[in-house]
Amino acid sequence: MSINRKFWISMMSYSVLGLLLVTSVVPIVMMLMMSLRDTLDIYGDFWGVPLRPKWQNYSSAMLALIEPMIRSLFLCFTSIFGVLALAAFCGYAFARLKFWGKGFLFFLIVMMMTLPKVLQLTPNFLLADWMQLRNTYTGLIAFYIGGGLLFAVFLLRSFFRSISEELFEAARMEGSSEYICVVKIALPLAKPIFVTIAIMTFLGIYNDLIWPMLMISSPKLQTLAMALQSFAPKAGGDAGDISNPDLGVITSGYVFASIPLLIVFLFGMKYYVEGLTSGAVKS
């Protein structure tokens, strides 16, 4: 391939990447600028710059959304702990132990992963209603853990199978039990996979709206996604009227709700990429 052809291919590639970057960043920048402006300014000049930032928008949004955010974070961290704790031992069992029906059970896990989430809503709702788990955090957490286990077990099984068997054999020769092999050998090595699973589980739960709307009817138990769905303060201070919404406060609410997602990716991106590239491609 000639040098000129390589140059033009590189230029075209970077141009496409630059265009995708701009189209991704512009909506975020516009949301940040709108969150610091008054509603009249936004209607008057949509592309305007907040020359005098209205920081009160964030204080209003935080007062309305801080409690739903705390509830959503509680659901996320509790569900993540349950998914990681159960998936670690299940993944190790499928990867290293021999038991009757192992292949068939893992086949069922893979098959259930192929089912669209929307098809599972009705049976899950009926099961939750039969177990009297509606309008409770227990009902949300139980089904979040059950749904997150499938991919977590699949990913951890692949990673544990990639670890050299000699490590476990040496530990067994020293008198270590299978539990010690899991805790002392398998789990420390699987740190990037755990971070990957935790981030993916966090994103799924934190942004979920359909399942909480089916399960929760009390305003005191609303998650952040539910609160944002009905978050429409009036441009005058009164809440609950969508005929004259305060666009500045609404957009500041969305920015405030995005902060946990940004923090998770900033601190976990390194392990997230490492986990995807290590555990997902090994068998």
Side-chain angles (χ1 to χ4, degrees), residues 180-236:
I180 298 298
C181 290
V182 175
V183 175
K184 298 296 185 180
I185 300 177
L187 298 190
L189 293 175
K191 182 179 179 181
I193 309 298
F194 286 144
V195 176
T196 301
I197 295 172
I199 291 178
M200 297 184 71
T201 305
F202 181 87
L203 293 177
I205 298 174
Y206 190 81
N207 296 321
D208 188 26
L209 175 63
I210 298 178
W211 184 242
M213 288 188 66
L214 289 175
M215 292 287 291
I216 302 299
S217 59
S218 174
K220 296 182 179 179
L221 300 178
Q222 280 189 340
T223 62
L224 181 61
M226 297 175 65
L228 286 173
Q229 192 263 344
S230 59
F231 184 58
K234 184 179 177 181

Side-chain angles (χ1 to χ4, degrees), residues 84-95 97 153 156 160 178-179 182-183 187:
L84 294 180
L86 294 175
F89 292 96
C90 292
Y92 181 84
F94 278 113
L97 302 183
V153 170
L156 284 170
F160 289 151
E178 290 295 336
Y179 176 79
V182 175
V183 175
L187 298 190

Side-chain angles (χ1 to χ4, degrees), residues 79 82-84 86-88 90-92 94 104-117 120 124 142-158 193 197 200-201:
S79 302
V83 169
L84 294 180
L86 294 175
C90 292
Y92 181 84
F94 278 113
F104 178 71
L105 290 176
F106 187 73
F107 172 77
L108 291 180
I109 291 177
V110 175
M111 289 298 296
M112 286 188 291
M113 288 175 57
T114 64
L115 292 177
K117 294 292 184 180
Q120 304 175 30
N124 286 347
F143 286 89
Y144 280 144
I145 293 176
L149 272 176
L150 300 175
F151 181 73
V153 170
F154 177 83
L155 201 61
L156 284 170
R157 171 189 175 270
S158 300
I193 309 298
I197 295 172
M200 297 184 71
T201 305

